[in-house]
Amino acid sequence: MNDHNSEPLSLGGWIGTILIGLIPCVGIVMYIVWAVSANTNIHRKTYSQAMLILMVAGIVIGIVVGLLFGAALAVLLDGF
C-alpha cells in the first residue's frame, strides 16, 4: 500500500466524498468503486464500506417493515 493512500483525508476530501455520495446513483457507484479499489485512500475506503453496509441494512429494514405493515393492513381490511 502506498504512503499516499494511508494519509488522512483533508477537510476538502471529506466534503467531496460526502457530496459525491449524496448524488443519486453516482454516489452508490462511487461508494462501490472506493470500497473495492486497491488505489483509494484507506479512510475513504473504510467509510465507503460502512456506508454500503448501512444502505443495505436500511433497504432490508425498509422491506421487512413494509411487508409487516402490508400484512397487518391486509388483515385489518379483510373484514371490509
Side-chain angles (χ1 to χ4, degrees):
M1 183 165 55
N2 253 341
D3 270 346
H4 180 66
N5 288 341
S6 62
E7 293 176 2
L9 281 176
S10 66
L11 178 63
W14 279 114
I15 291 172
T17 300
I18 293 169
L19 287 177
I20 289 173
L22 293 174
I23 302 170
C25 297
V26 174
I28 294 171
V29 170
M30 287 308 299
Y31 282 153
I32 292 169
V33 169
W34 289 329
V36 299
S37 176
N39 294 328
T40 192
N41 183 288
I42 189 70
H43 304 291
R44 181 177 282 141
K45 182 175 188 163
T46 305
Y47 175 79
S48 299
Q49 291 169 345
M51 288 304 294
L52 288 170
I53 290 169
L54 289 175
M55 286 178 188
V56 169
I59 290 169
V60 169
I61 290 170
I63 290 171
V64 169
V65 168
L67 289 173
L68 289 175
F69 277 115
L73 187 60
V75 167
L76 289 174
L77 294 179
D78 190 39
F80 289 104

